[in-house]
Amino acid sequence: MPQYHAKVFVTLKPSILDPQGRTVERALSHLGLSASGVRVGKLIELSLEGERAEVEARLKDIAENVLSNPVMENVRWELQEAKESAPA
Amino acid sequence: MPQYHAKVFVTLKPSILDPQGRTVERALSHLGLSASGVRVGKLIELSLEGERAEVEARLKDIAENVLSNPVMENVRWELQEAKESAPA
């Protein structure tokens, strides 16, 4: 069955405060590395096996209902067919 | 001065165990959503102001020396010029 690699990007909605991002921003400023609007999100990588349409539906379910909180976070994802793996 | 948006992707090196990823994988499996090789990384978004070459050097410094641990993590980044912002 085809194998896919997926990346799921989870970011806080713009209206949600991000204390972790603020802390990074202050730390950078103390190091003389100015940056603004620092936001810390998550990147989840996973592998999925199955037919394309079913994998797409499963990934959407995983990304929207398991990996992210729709009240506070935005989520988007990328799906890519895995290259032919070398025989084990 | 030109304004840039940057995204920094921090992922654990393949040889480093990822208990958070394993936990997500087990949770997905209990929900009937099969996935393998789940790895949880970070996505940091930030804005930088300055001339392109200087901003690129600063971003490399931030990504490699502040946002990631070179012993355990891989890091890559994308830099994009910000669109003309609407007058405030």
Side-chain angles (χ1 to χ4, degrees), chain A residues 34-86:
Chain A
S34 84
S36 60
V38 181
R39 309 281 289 174
V40 180
K42 276 178 287 187
L43 158 61
I44 299 113
E45 295 173 303
L46 59 161
S47 298
L48 300 162
E49 198 178 283
E51 295 311 324
R52 178 101 197 180
E54 186 277 320
V55 163
E56 278 176 3
R58 188 171 1 135
L59 178 57
K60 181 178 157 73
D61 192 8
I62 290 173
E64 292 185 344
N65 300 324
V66 183
L67 298 179
S68 67
N69 171 352
V71 177
M72 297 173 60
E73 293 169 330
N74 290 322
V75 63
R76 63 183 192 82
W77 55 88
E78 288 171 6
L79 186 66
Q80 199 177 7
E81 190 156 3
K83 284 175 198 69
E84 208 49 40
S85 55

mmCIF file of all heavy atoms in Angstrom, chain A residues 34-86:
data_model
loop_
_atom_site.group_PDB
_atom_site.id
_atom_site.type_symbol
_atom_site.label_atom_id
_atom_site.label_comp_id
_atom_site.label_asym_id
_atom_site.label_seq_id
_atom_site.Cartn_x
_atom_site.Cartn_y
_atom_site.Cartn_z
ATOM 1 N N SER A 34 17.487 41.296 17.703
ATOM 2 C CA SER A 34 16.126 41.796 17.760
ATOM 3 C C SER A 34 15.201 41.032 16.816
ATOM 4 O O SER A 34 15.544 40.721 15.682
ATOM 5 C CB SER A 34 16.089 43.295 17.484
ATOM 6 O OG SER A 34 16.065 43.531 16.116
ATOM 7 N N ALA A 35 14.020 40.717 17.340
ATOM 8 C CA ALA A 35 12.965 40.061 16.572
ATOM 9 C C ALA A 35 11.658 40.458 17.227
ATOM 10 O O ALA A 35 11.628 40.803 18.406
ATOM 11 C CB ALA A 35 13.138 38.547 16.600
ATOM 12 N N SER A 36 10.580 40.433 16.466
ATOM 13 C CA SER A 36 9.292 40.784 17.059
ATOM 14 C C SER A 36 8.262 39.731 16.672
ATOM 15 O O SER A 36 8.492 38.909 15.787
ATOM 16 C CB SER A 36 8.859 42.174 16.581
ATOM 17 O OG SER A 36 8.731 42.164 15.173
ATOM 18 N N GLY A 37 7.150 39.785 17.344
ATOM 19 C CA GLY A 37 6.046 38.879 17.024
ATOM 20 C C GLY A 37 6.429 37.411 17.052
ATOM 21 O O GLY A 37 5.978 36.635 16.202
ATOM 22 N N VAL A 38 7.223 37.030 18.048
ATOM 23 C CA VAL A 38 7.642 35.622 18.122
ATOM 24 C C VAL A 38 6.471 34.773 18.625
ATOM 25 O O VAL A 38 5.856 35.088 19.641
ATOM 26 C CB VAL A 38 8.857 35.454 19.060
ATOM 27 C CG1 VAL A 38 9.282 33.991 19.110
ATOM 28 C CG2 VAL A 38 10.020 36.326 18.610
ATOM 29 N N ARG A 39 6.164 33.711 17.897
ATOM 30 C CA ARG A 39 5.084 32.797 18.261
ATOM 31 C C ARG A 39 5.629 31.379 18.184
ATOM 32 O O ARG A 39 6.263 31.016 17.186
ATOM 33 C CB ARG A 39 3.912 32.907 17.273
ATOM 34 C CG ARG A 39 3.420 34.321 17.016
ATOM 35 C CD ARG A 39 2.545 34.859 18.081
ATOM 36 N NE ARG A 39 1.235 34.242 18.108
ATOM 37 C CZ ARG A 39 0.332 34.489 19.059
ATOM 38 N NH1 ARG A 39 0.618 35.332 20.056
ATOM 39 N NH2 ARG A 39 -0.840 33.906 19.044
ATOM 40 N N VAL A 40 5.358 30.598 19.201
ATOM 41 C CA VAL A 40 5.872 29.232 19.221
ATOM 42 C C VAL A 40 4.727 28.257 18.958
ATOM 43 O O VAL A 40 3.739 28.246 19.684
ATOM 44 C CB VAL A 40 6.544 28.915 20.568
ATOM 45 C CG1 VAL A 40 7.075 27.484 20.569
ATOM 46 C CG2 VAL A 40 7.675 29.898 20.837
ATOM 47 N N GLY A 41 4.872 27.477 17.916
ATOM 48 C CA GLY A 41 3.863 26.484 17.580
ATOM 49 C C GLY A 41 4.468 25.093 17.523
ATOM 50 O O GLY A 41 5.602 24.889 17.947
ATOM 51 N N LYS A 42 3.700 24.154 17.020
ATOM 52 C CA LYS A 42 4.175 22.772 16.949
ATOM 53 C C LYS A 42 4.220 22.285 15.512
ATOM 54 O O LYS A 42 3.428 22.701 14.663
ATOM 55 C CB LYS A 42 3.222 21.861 17.742
ATOM 56 C CG LYS A 42 3.537 21.834 19.225
ATOM 57 C CD LYS A 42 2.551 20.977 19.982
ATOM 58 C CE LYS A 42 1.208 21.677 20.074
ATOM 59 N NZ LYS A 42 0.255 20.961 20.942
ATOM 60 N N LEU A 43 5.152 21.401 15.285
ATOM 61 C CA LEU A 43 5.282 20.744 13.988
ATOM 62 C C LEU A 43 5.273 19.259 14.279
ATOM 63 O O LEU A 43 6.162 18.749 14.976
ATOM 64 C CB LEU A 43 6.617 21.162 13.354
ATOM 65 C CG LEU A 43 7.211 20.245 12.291
ATOM 66 C CD1 LEU A 43 6.276 20.121 11.105
ATOM 67 C CD2 LEU A 43 8.552 20.799 11.819
ATOM 68 N N ILE A 44 4.258 18.557 13.798
ATOM 69 C CA ILE A 44 4.170 17.116 14.043
ATOM 70 C C ILE A 44 4.373 16.388 12.719
ATOM 71 O O ILE A 44 3.667 16.651 11.746
ATOM 72 C CB ILE A 44 2.802 16.728 14.671
ATOM 73 C CG1 ILE A 44 2.646 17.431 16.014
ATOM 74 C CG2 ILE A 44 2.716 15.222 14.887
ATOM 75 C CD1 ILE A 44 1.571 18.462 16.047
ATOM 76 N N GLU A 45 5.326 15.481 12.703
ATOM 77 C CA GLU A 45 5.595 14.686 11.508
ATOM 78 C C GLU A 45 5.092 13.272 11.748
ATOM 79 O O GLU A 45 5.271 12.732 12.843
ATOM 80 C CB GLU A 45 7.098 14.664 11.219
ATOM 81 C CG GLU A 45 7.635 16.039 10.867
ATOM 82 C CD GLU A 45 9.154 16.067 10.741
ATOM 83 O OE1 GLU A 45 9.825 15.692 11.724
ATOM 84 O OE2 GLU A 45 9.646 16.432 9.680
ATOM 85 N N LEU A 46 4.478 12.677 10.733
ATOM 86 C CA LEU A 46 4.007 11.308 10.889
ATOM 87 C C LEU A 46 3.935 10.599 9.553
ATOM 88 O O LEU A 46 3.968 11.236 8.501
ATOM 89 C CB LEU A 46 2.643 11.259 11.599
ATOM 90 C CG LEU A 46 1.453 11.973 11.000
ATOM 91 C CD1 LEU A 46 0.157 11.411 11.579
ATOM 92 C CD2 LEU A 46 1.484 13.453 11.305
ATOM 93 N N SER A 47 3.873 9.284 9.606
ATOM 94 C CA SER A 47 3.751 8.469 8.398
ATOM 95 C C SER A 47 2.392 7.780 8.407
ATOM 96 O O SER A 47 1.917 7.356 9.461
ATOM 97 C CB SER A 47 4.850 7.408 8.354
ATOM 98 O OG SER A 47 6.106 8.026 8.306
ATOM 99 N N LEU A 48 1.804 7.696 7.226
ATOM 100 C CA LEU A 48 0.488 7.090 7.098
ATOM 101 C C LEU A 48 0.508 6.128 5.922
ATOM 102 O O LEU A 48 1.158 6.396 4.911
ATOM 103 C CB LEU A 48 -0.565 8.179 6.829
ATOM 104 C CG LEU A 48 -0.715 9.256 7.907
ATOM 105 C CD1 LEU A 48 -1.426 10.473 7.357
ATOM 106 C CD2 LEU A 48 -1.477 8.693 9.094
ATOM 107 N N GLU A 49 -0.217 5.038 6.050
ATOM 108 C CA GLU A 49 -0.245 4.056 4.984
ATOM 109 C C GLU A 49 -1.678 3.831 4.546
ATOM 110 O O GLU A 49 -2.572 3.728 5.386
ATOM 111 C CB GLU A 49 0.357 2.740 5.502
ATOM 112 C CG GLU A 49 0.766 1.795 4.399
ATOM 113 C CD GLU A 49 1.409 0.535 4.971
ATOM 114 O OE1 GLU A 49 2.578 0.605 5.368
ATOM 115 O OE2 GLU A 49 0.727 -0.497 5.018
ATOM 116 N N GLY A 50 -1.914 3.759 3.251
ATOM 117 C CA GLY A 50 -3.259 3.498 2.754
ATOM 118 C C GLY A 50 -3.470 4.152 1.412
ATOM 119 O O GLY A 50 -2.544 4.702 0.821
ATOM 120 N N GLU A 51 -4.707 4.078 0.935
ATOM 121 C CA GLU A 51 -5.026 4.726 -0.337
ATOM 122 C C GLU A 51 -5.168 6.224 -0.115
ATOM 123 O O GLU A 51 -5.635 6.666 0.930
ATOM 124 C CB GLU A 51 -6.317 4.133 -0.921
ATOM 125 C CG GLU A 51 -6.203 2.664 -1.294
ATOM 126 C CD GLU A 51 -4.960 2.339 -2.149
ATOM 127 O OE1 GLU A 51 -4.577 3.182 -2.990
ATOM 128 O OE2 GLU A 51 -4.366 1.268 -1.961
ATOM 129 N N ARG A 52 -4.777 6.986 -1.139
ATOM 130 C CA ARG A 52 -4.671 8.455 -1.014
ATOM 131 C C ARG A 52 -5.905 9.100 -0.372
ATOM 132 O O ARG A 52 -5.774 9.873 0.583
ATOM 133 C CB ARG A 52 -4.428 9.066 -2.408
ATOM 134 C CG ARG A 52 -4.354 10.573 -2.422
ATOM 135 C CD ARG A 52 -2.930 11.073 -2.479
ATOM 136 N NE ARG A 52 -2.807 12.471 -2.098
ATOM 137 C CZ ARG A 52 -1.639 13.128 -2.075
ATOM 138 N NH1 ARG A 52 -0.524 12.526 -2.403
ATOM 139 N NH2 ARG A 52 -1.586 14.377 -1.700
ATOM 140 N N ALA A 53 -7.083 8.803 -0.899
ATOM 141 C CA ALA A 53 -8.285 9.500 -0.423
ATOM 142 C C ALA A 53 -8.540 9.188 1.053
ATOM 143 O O ALA A 53 -8.876 10.075 1.847
ATOM 144 C CB ALA A 53 -9.491 9.101 -1.263
ATOM 145 N N GLU A 54 -8.326 7.928 1.410
ATOM 146 C CA GLU A 54 -8.570 7.528 2.808
ATOM 147 C C GLU A 54 -7.516 8.162 3.717
ATOM 148 O O GLU A 54 -7.825 8.615 4.829
ATOM 149 C CB GLU A 54 -8.554 5.984 2.883
ATOM 150 C CG GLU A 54 -8.941 5.403 4.229
ATOM 151 C CD GLU A 54 -7.772 5.363 5.196
ATOM 152 O OE1 GLU A 54 -6.629 5.042 4.758
ATOM 153 O OE2 GLU A 54 -7.961 5.682 6.384
ATOM 154 N N VAL A 55 -6.269 8.219 3.245
ATOM 155 C CA VAL A 55 -5.196 8.819 4.042
ATOM 156 C C VAL A 55 -5.460 10.317 4.244
ATOM 157 O O VAL A 55 -5.277 10.849 5.340
ATOM 158 C CB VAL A 55 -3.820 8.590 3.367
ATOM 159 C CG1 VAL A 55 -2.763 9.526 3.925
ATOM 160 C CG2 VAL A 55 -3.385 7.140 3.552
ATOM 161 N N GLU A 56 -5.932 10.982 3.195
ATOM 162 C CA GLU A 56 -6.237 12.413 3.320
ATOM 163 C C GLU A 56 -7.318 12.649 4.363
ATOM 164 O O GLU A 56 -7.219 13.569 5.176
ATOM 165 C CB GLU A 56 -6.686 12.980 1.964
ATOM 166 C CG GLU A 56 -5.507 13.333 1.074
ATOM 167 C CD GLU A 56 -5.919 13.807 -0.312
ATOM 168 O OE1 GLU A 56 -7.136 13.915 -0.582
ATOM 169 O OE2 GLU A 56 -5.013 14.051 -1.132
ATOM 170 N N ALA A 57 -8.352 11.811 4.339
ATOM 171 C CA ALA A 57 -9.444 11.962 5.305
ATOM 172 C C ALA A 57 -8.943 11.680 6.724
ATOM 173 O O ALA A 57 -9.275 12.395 7.678
ATOM 174 C CB ALA A 57 -10.591 11.020 4.949
ATOM 175 N N ARG A 58 -8.090 10.643 6.855
ATOM 176 C CA ARG A 58 -7.565 10.293 8.176
ATOM 177 C C ARG A 58 -6.679 11.409 8.720
ATOM 178 O O ARG A 58 -6.744 11.774 9.889
ATOM 179 C CB ARG A 58 -6.791 8.974 8.092
ATOM 180 C CG ARG A 58 -6.383 8.472 9.457
ATOM 181 C CD ARG A 58 -5.797 7.044 9.505
ATOM 182 N NE ARG A 58 -5.684 6.376 8.237
ATOM 183 C CZ ARG A 58 -4.577 5.699 7.861
ATOM 184 N NH1 ARG A 58 -3.544 5.610 8.664
ATOM 185 N NH2 ARG A 58 -4.532 5.098 6.693
ATOM 186 N N LEU A 59 -5.860 11.974 7.828
ATOM 187 C CA LEU A 59 -4.954 13.046 8.257
ATOM 188 C C LEU A 59 -5.742 14.277 8.708
ATOM 189 O O LEU A 59 -5.411 14.909 9.713
ATOM 190 C CB LEU A 59 -4.002 13.405 7.106
ATOM 191 C CG LEU A 59 -3.023 14.544 7.385
ATOM 192 C CD1 LEU A 59 -2.156 14.268 8.606
ATOM 193 C CD2 LEU A 59 -2.147 14.795 6.158
ATOM 194 N N LYS A 60 -6.788 14.604 7.969
ATOM 195 C CA LYS A 60 -7.630 15.745 8.351
ATOM 196 C C LYS A 60 -8.234 15.507 9.742
ATOM 197 O O LYS A 60 -8.221 16.404 10.593
ATOM 198 C CB LYS A 60 -8.743 15.910 7.305
ATOM 199 C CG LYS A 60 -9.692 17.076 7.553
ATOM 200 C CD LYS A 60 -10.719 17.159 6.422
ATOM 201 C CE LYS A 60 -11.985 17.884 6.846
ATOM 202 N NZ LYS A 60 -11.833 19.330 6.981
ATOM 203 N N ASP A 61 -8.709 14.306 9.967
ATOM 204 C CA ASP A 61 -9.290 13.946 11.258
ATOM 205 C C ASP A 61 -8.235 14.079 12.366
ATOM 206 O O ASP A 61 -8.460 14.701 13.416
ATOM 207 C CB ASP A 61 -9.809 12.500 11.160
ATOM 208 C CG ASP A 61 -10.693 12.112 12.325
ATOM 209 O OD1 ASP A 61 -11.044 12.993 13.134
ATOM 210 O OD2 ASP A 61 -11.028 10.911 12.437
ATOM 211 N N ILE A 62 -7.043 13.527 12.122
ATOM 212 C CA ILE A 62 -5.953 13.591 13.099
ATOM 213 C C ILE A 62 -5.584 15.040 13.403
ATOM 214 O O ILE A 62 -5.453 15.445 14.563
ATOM 215 C CB ILE A 62 -4.715 12.818 12.573
ATOM 216 C CG1 ILE A 62 -4.974 11.309 12.569
ATOM 217 C CG2 ILE A 62 -3.471 13.155 13.389
ATOM 218 C CD1 ILE A 62 -3.863 10.483 11.915
ATOM 219 N N ALA A 63 -5.409 15.829 12.351
ATOM 220 C CA ALA A 63 -4.928 17.200 12.523
ATOM 221 C C ALA A 63 -5.967 18.060 13.234
ATOM 222 O O ALA A 63 -5.646 18.815 14.159
ATOM 223 C CB ALA A 63 -4.580 17.803 11.155
ATOM 224 N N GLU A 64 -7.230 17.938 12.817
ATOM 225 C CA GLU A 64 -8.256 18.830 13.356
ATOM 226 C C GLU A 64 -8.800 18.374 14.698
ATOM 227 O O GLU A 64 -9.163 19.206 15.528
ATOM 228 C CB GLU A 64 -9.415 18.963 12.351
ATOM 229 C CG GLU A 64 -8.992 19.701 11.097
ATOM 230 C CD GLU A 64 -10.145 19.953 10.139
ATOM 231 O OE1 GLU A 64 -11.214 19.314 10.287
ATOM 232 O OE2 GLU A 64 -9.954 20.784 9.217
ATOM 233 N N ASN A 65 -8.859 17.072 14.905
ATOM 234 C CA ASN A 65 -9.533 16.598 16.112
ATOM 235 C C ASN A 65 -8.614 16.072 17.197
ATOM 236 O O ASN A 65 -9.029 15.928 18.339
ATOM 237 C CB ASN A 65 -10.546 15.506 15.734
ATOM 238 C CG ASN A 65 -11.594 16.033 14.779
ATOM 239 O OD1 ASN A 65 -12.012 17.187 14.888
ATOM 240 N ND2 ASN A 65 -12.002 15.212 13.835
ATOM 241 N N VAL A 66 -7.375 15.754 16.848
ATOM 242 C CA VAL A 66 -6.474 15.207 17.867
ATOM 243 C C VAL A 66 -5.309 16.151 18.145
ATOM 244 O O VAL A 66 -5.007 16.460 19.292
ATOM 245 C CB VAL A 66 -5.937 13.812 17.453
ATOM 246 C CG1 VAL A 66 -5.064 13.238 18.561
ATOM 247 C CG2 VAL A 66 -7.071 12.872 17.110
ATOM 248 N N LEU A 67 -4.662 16.615 17.107
ATOM 249 C CA LEU A 67 -3.418 17.367 17.309
ATOM 250 C C LEU A 67 -3.626 18.839 17.613
ATOM 251 O O LEU A 67 -2.695 19.513 18.047
ATOM 252 C CB LEU A 67 -2.513 17.214 16.087
ATOM 253 C CG LEU A 67 -2.059 15.785 15.771
ATOM 254 C CD1 LEU A 67 -1.195 15.772 14.528
ATOM 255 C CD2 LEU A 67 -1.310 15.180 16.950
ATOM 256 N N SER A 68 -4.813 19.358 17.369
ATOM 257 C CA SER A 68 -5.007 20.787 17.608
ATOM 258 C C SER A 68 -6.294 21.038 18.368
ATOM 259 O O SER A 68 -7.194 20.204 18.389
ATOM 260 C CB SER A 68 -5.040 21.534 16.281
ATOM 261 O OG SER A 68 -6.202 21.167 15.553
ATOM 262 N N ASN A 69 -6.329 22.181 19.003
ATOM 263 C CA ASN A 69 -7.500 22.622 19.748
ATOM 264 C C ASN A 69 -8.148 23.749 18.943
ATOM 265 O O ASN A 69 -7.603 24.845 18.872
ATOM 266 C CB ASN A 69 -7.027 23.132 21.115
ATOM 267 C CG ASN A 69 -8.125 23.812 21.885
ATOM 268 O OD1 ASN A 69 -9.220 24.041 21.360
ATOM 269 N ND2 ASN A 69 -7.842 24.139 23.123
ATOM 270 N N PRO A 70 -9.301 23.477 18.333
ATOM 271 C CA PRO A 70 -9.879 24.464 17.407
ATOM 272 C C PRO A 70 -10.255 25.791 18.067
ATOM 273 O O PRO A 70 -10.432 26.791 17.378
ATOM 274 C CB PRO A 70 -11.120 23.754 16.857
ATOM 275 C CG PRO A 70 -11.425 22.671 17.830
ATOM 276 C CD PRO A 70 -10.138 22.272 18.467
ATOM 277 N N VAL A 71 -10.364 25.799 19.386
ATOM 278 C CA VAL A 71 -10.724 27.045 20.069
ATOM 279 C C VAL A 71 -9.538 28.006 20.081
ATOM 280 O O VAL A 71 -9.692 29.211 19.935
ATOM 281 C CB VAL A 71 -11.179 26.754 21.523
ATOM 282 C CG1 VAL A 71 -11.475 28.047 22.269
ATOM 283 C CG2 VAL A 71 -12.392 25.847 21.522
ATOM 284 N N MET A 72 -8.343 27.466 20.241
ATOM 285 C CA MET A 72 -7.166 28.310 20.430
ATOM 286 C C MET A 72 -6.157 28.236 19.303
ATOM 287 O O MET A 72 -5.250 29.066 19.230
ATOM 288 C CB MET A 72 -6.437 27.893 21.716
ATOM 289 C CG MET A 72 -7.251 28.088 22.979
ATOM 290 S SD MET A 72 -6.383 27.376 24.392
ATOM 291 C CE MET A 72 -4.859 28.297 24.398
ATOM 292 N N GLU A 73 -6.261 27.210 18.473
ATOM 293 C CA GLU A 73 -5.177 26.978 17.515
ATOM 294 C C GLU A 73 -5.667 26.877 16.076
ATOM 295 O O GLU A 73 -6.782 26.438 15.810
ATOM 296 C CB GLU A 73 -4.437 25.682 17.891
ATOM 297 C CG GLU A 73 -3.697 25.789 19.210
ATOM 298 C CD GLU A 73 -3.189 24.444 19.732
ATOM 299 O OE1 GLU A 73 -3.832 23.414 19.453
ATOM 300 O OE2 GLU A 73 -2.164 24.426 20.419
ATOM 301 N N ASN A 74 -4.800 27.296 15.177
ATOM 302 C CA ASN A 74 -4.996 27.023 13.766
ATOM 303 C C ASN A 74 -4.154 25.815 13.397
ATOM 304 O O ASN A 74 -3.103 25.588 13.986
ATOM 305 C CB ASN A 74 -4.539 28.216 12.912
ATOM 306 C CG ASN A 74 -5.469 29.402 13.063
ATOM 307 O OD1 ASN A 74 -6.676 29.246 13.163
ATOM 308 N ND2 ASN A 74 -4.886 30.597 13.080
ATOM 309 N N VAL A 75 -4.609 25.085 12.398
ATOM 310 C CA VAL A 75 -3.842 23.914 11.975
ATOM 311 C C VAL A 75 -3.850 23.831 10.457
ATOM 312 O O VAL A 75 -4.836 24.161 9.798
ATOM 313 C CB VAL A 75 -4.403 22.627 12.630
ATOM 314 C CG1 VAL A 75 -5.829 22.360 12.183
ATOM 315 C CG2 VAL A 75 -3.522 21.427 12.336
ATOM 316 N N ARG A 76 -2.712 23.474 9.886
ATOM 317 C CA ARG A 76 -2.674 23.137 8.473
ATOM 318 C C ARG A 76 -1.713 21.973 8.294
ATOM 319 O O ARG A 76 -0.950 21.661 9.188
ATOM 320 C CB ARG A 76 -2.282 24.345 7.614
ATOM 321 C CG ARG A 76 -0.916 24.870 7.867
ATOM 322 C CD ARG A 76 -0.591 26.111 7.039
ATOM 323 N NE ARG A 76 0.837 26.364 7.145
ATOM 324 C CZ ARG A 76 1.769 25.761 6.429
ATOM 325 N NH1 ARG A 76 1.430 24.871 5.512
ATOM 326 N NH2 ARG A 76 3.044 26.008 6.616
ATOM 327 N N TRP A 77 -1.793 21.311 7.124
ATOM 328 C CA TRP A 77 -0.981 20.110 6.960
ATOM 329 C C TRP A 77 -0.552 19.940 5.515
ATOM 330 O O TRP A 77 -1.147 20.504 4.603
ATOM 331 C CB TRP A 77 -1.727 18.881 7.456
ATOM 332 C CG TRP A 77 -3.065 18.672 6.840
ATOM 333 C CD1 TRP A 77 -3.356 18.000 5.690
ATOM 334 C CD2 TRP A 77 -4.317 19.169 7.331
ATOM 335 N NE1 TRP A 77 -4.710 18.044 5.445
ATOM 336 C CE2 TRP A 77 -5.316 18.748 6.425
ATOM 337 C CE3 TRP A 77 -4.690 19.914 8.451
ATOM 338 C CZ2 TRP A 77 -6.665 19.059 6.606
ATOM 339 C CZ3 TRP A 77 -6.033 20.231 8.625
ATOM 340 C CH2 TRP A 77 -7.010 19.801 7.719
ATOM 341 N N GLU A 78 0.499 19.155 5.365
ATOM 342 C CA GLU A 78 1.028 18.808 4.045
ATOM 343 C C GLU A 78 1.127 17.299 3.982
ATOM 344 O O GLU A 78 1.555 16.666 4.942
ATOM 345 C CB GLU A 78 2.452 19.356 3.880
ATOM 346 C CG GLU A 78 2.527 20.852 3.720
ATOM 347 C CD GLU A 78 3.968 21.366 3.794
ATOM 348 O OE1 GLU A 78 4.911 20.535 3.860
ATOM 349 O OE2 GLU A 78 4.135 22.583 3.790
ATOM 350 N N LEU A 79 0.767 16.754 2.823
ATOM 351 C CA LEU A 79 0.866 15.309 2.639
ATOM 352 C C LEU A 79 1.714 15.047 1.406
ATOM 353 O O LEU A 79 1.532 15.688 0.377
ATOM 354 C CB LEU A 79 -0.535 14.720 2.449
ATOM 355 C CG LEU A 79 -0.623 13.201 2.384
ATOM 356 C CD1 LEU A 79 -0.238 12.580 3.711
ATOM 357 C CD2 LEU A 79 -2.031 12.770 2.004
ATOM 358 N N GLN A 80 2.610 14.100 1.545
ATOM 359 C CA GLN A 80 3.548 13.835 0.462
ATOM 360 C C GLN A 80 3.752 12.332 0.352
ATOM 361 O O GLN A 80 3.933 11.656 1.368
ATOM 362 C CB GLN A 80 4.885 14.504 0.834
ATOM 363 C CG GLN A 80 5.791 14.705 -0.325
ATOM 364 C CD GLN A 80 7.066 15.428 0.108
ATOM 365 O OE1 GLN A 80 7.298 15.659 1.299
ATOM 366 N NE2 GLN A 80 7.895 15.768 -0.848
ATOM 367 N N GLU A 81 3.707 11.812 -0.861
ATOM 368 C CA GLU A 81 3.926 10.372 -1.027
ATOM 369 C C GLU A 81 5.372 10.051 -0.707
ATOM 370 O O GLU A 81 6.286 10.757 -1.137
ATOM 371 C CB GLU A 81 3.582 9.931 -2.450
ATOM 372 C CG GLU A 81 3.561 8.416 -2.577
ATOM 373 C CD GLU A 81 2.689 7.937 -3.736
ATOM 374 O OE1 GLU A 81 2.144 8.775 -4.468
ATOM 375 O OE2 GLU A 81 2.542 6.716 -3.889
ATOM 376 N N ALA A 82 5.584 8.999 0.074
ATOM 377 C CA ALA A 82 6.949 8.614 0.446
ATOM 378 C C ALA A 82 7.631 7.981 -0.759
ATOM 379 O O ALA A 82 7.000 7.307 -1.567
ATOM 380 C CB ALA A 82 6.905 7.628 1.599
ATOM 381 N N LYS A 83 8.916 8.242 -0.878
ATOM 382 C CA LYS A 83 9.679 7.603 -1.961
ATOM 383 C C LYS A 83 9.743 6.116 -1.693
ATOM 384 O O LYS A 83 9.680 5.653 -0.567
ATOM 385 C CB LYS A 83 11.075 8.203 -2.034
ATOM 386 C CG LYS A 83 11.053 9.574 -2.676
ATOM 387 C CD LYS A 83 12.421 10.219 -2.636
ATOM 388 C CE LYS A 83 12.303 11.708 -2.862
ATOM 389 N NZ LYS A 83 11.650 12.439 -1.725
ATOM 390 N N GLU A 84 9.868 5.364 -2.771
ATOM 391 C CA GLU A 84 10.059 3.910 -2.693
ATOM 392 C C GLU A 84 11.126 3.614 -1.646
ATOM 393 O O GLU A 84 12.268 4.070 -1.764
ATOM 394 C CB GLU A 84 10.515 3.416 -4.077
ATOM 395 C CG GLU A 84 10.136 1.983 -4.420
ATOM 396 C CD GLU A 84 8.674 1.654 -4.168
ATOM 397 O OE1 GLU A 84 7.790 2.488 -4.452
ATOM 398 O OE2 GLU A 84 8.417 0.569 -3.650
ATOM 399 N N SER A 85 10.771 2.912 -0.578
ATOM 400 C CA SER A 85 11.787 2.651 0.449
ATOM 401 C C SER A 85 12.681 1.493 0.014
ATOM 402 O O SER A 85 12.253 0.570 -0.688
ATOM 403 C CB SER A 85 11.117 2.365 1.782
ATOM 404 O OG SER A 85 10.212 1.305 1.612
ATOM 405 N N ALA A 86 13.906 1.555 0.449
ATOM 406 C CA ALA A 86 14.856 0.478 0.130
ATOM 407 C C ALA A 86 14.398 -0.805 0.810
ATOM 408 O O ALA A 86 13.812 -0.763 1.893
ATOM 409 C CB ALA A 86 16.237 0.872 0.614
#
